[in-house]
Amino acid sequence: METDGQSPDDTPPTPKDAAAALTSIEETRSAVARVRTPLWYFVTLGAMTAPIGPLSTVAPSSLPGALAFLGVMVAWLLALGWLMSRVVYRMGVQGRMTWKQLVLVPTACGLAGIAAAVLKNQFEVEWAMSAFTVVLGLVIVGVGLVHNHRKSQ
């Protein structure tokens, strides 16, 4: 507990002071829990993610083409970092993710990515990775819609 500059010789906080501090902490925690990530963030992130697969299929296989695509990907990563910093700045906090958001959604997306890679590499289904990134972009938007709906209740 913060002592507001009290020295060790001063009187310790009273039970009333401690209770007030705990109440203040709970009010702050409750206010932060109600912070809603803006839907534009999820829509923008989904729109940024969806075209990655289709764009990778049209990237030239020559060294200059591969380097150009690498440059595009670096620019994409910089844009992603900027987008994430903007939403944290606008919200004033970095929201806490639930267990489902931290484990289940990325795991399901990872398994879908592995399945897409197997389809493409083992069974020569050329559109698999493109479809995966489009679906991933839609999942990101879907997570945003669910998140915003739950926070609005």
Side-chain angles (χ1 to χ4, degrees):
M1 188 165 113
E2 197 171 308
T3 60
D4 294 326
Q6 292 179 349
S7 69
D9 300 333
D10 289 342
T11 308
T14 65
K16 186 177 179 181
D17 293 337
L22 290 174
T23 300
S24 175
I25 290 168
E26 187 54 41
E27 288 171 355
T28 302
R29 184 179 300 154
S30 178
V32 169
R34 288 189 304 269
V35 171
R36 184 164 68 174
T37 305
L39 185 57
W40 62 260
Y41 169 72
F42 294 101
V43 171
T44 304
L45 185 58
M48 286 177 64
T49 302
I52 295 298
L55 285 175
S56 70
T57 63
V58 297
S61 58
S62 66
L63 180 60
L67 291 174
F69 187 72
L70 181 61
V72 168
M73 290 309 300
V74 167
W76 182 87
L77 287 171
L78 291 171
L80 178 63
W82 178 84
L83 174 66
M84 294 172 77
S85 70
R86 291 304 316 151
V87 76
V88 169
Y89 174 77
R90 295 272 311 257
M91 290 172 53
V93 295
Q94 185 170 356
R96 180 181 291 178
M97 296 179 76
T98 67
W99 181 82
K100 287 181 181 178
Q101 291 170 325
L102 282 172
V103 176
L104 296 180
V105 173
T107 300
C109 290
L111 291 173
I114 291 169
V118 168
L119 283 172
K120 182 178 186 316
N121 295 323
Q122 297 299 316
F123 299 103
E124 298 179 8
V125 178
E126 293 301 320
W127 51 265
M129 292 305 290
S130 296
F132 167 68
T133 60
V134 170
V135 169
L136 185 59
L138 293 173
V139 167
I140 291 168
V141 173
V143 166
L145 290 170
V146 169
H147 170 78
N148 275 278
H149 175 72
R150 286 185 179 162
K151 292 286 183 168
S152 67
Q153 294 179 343

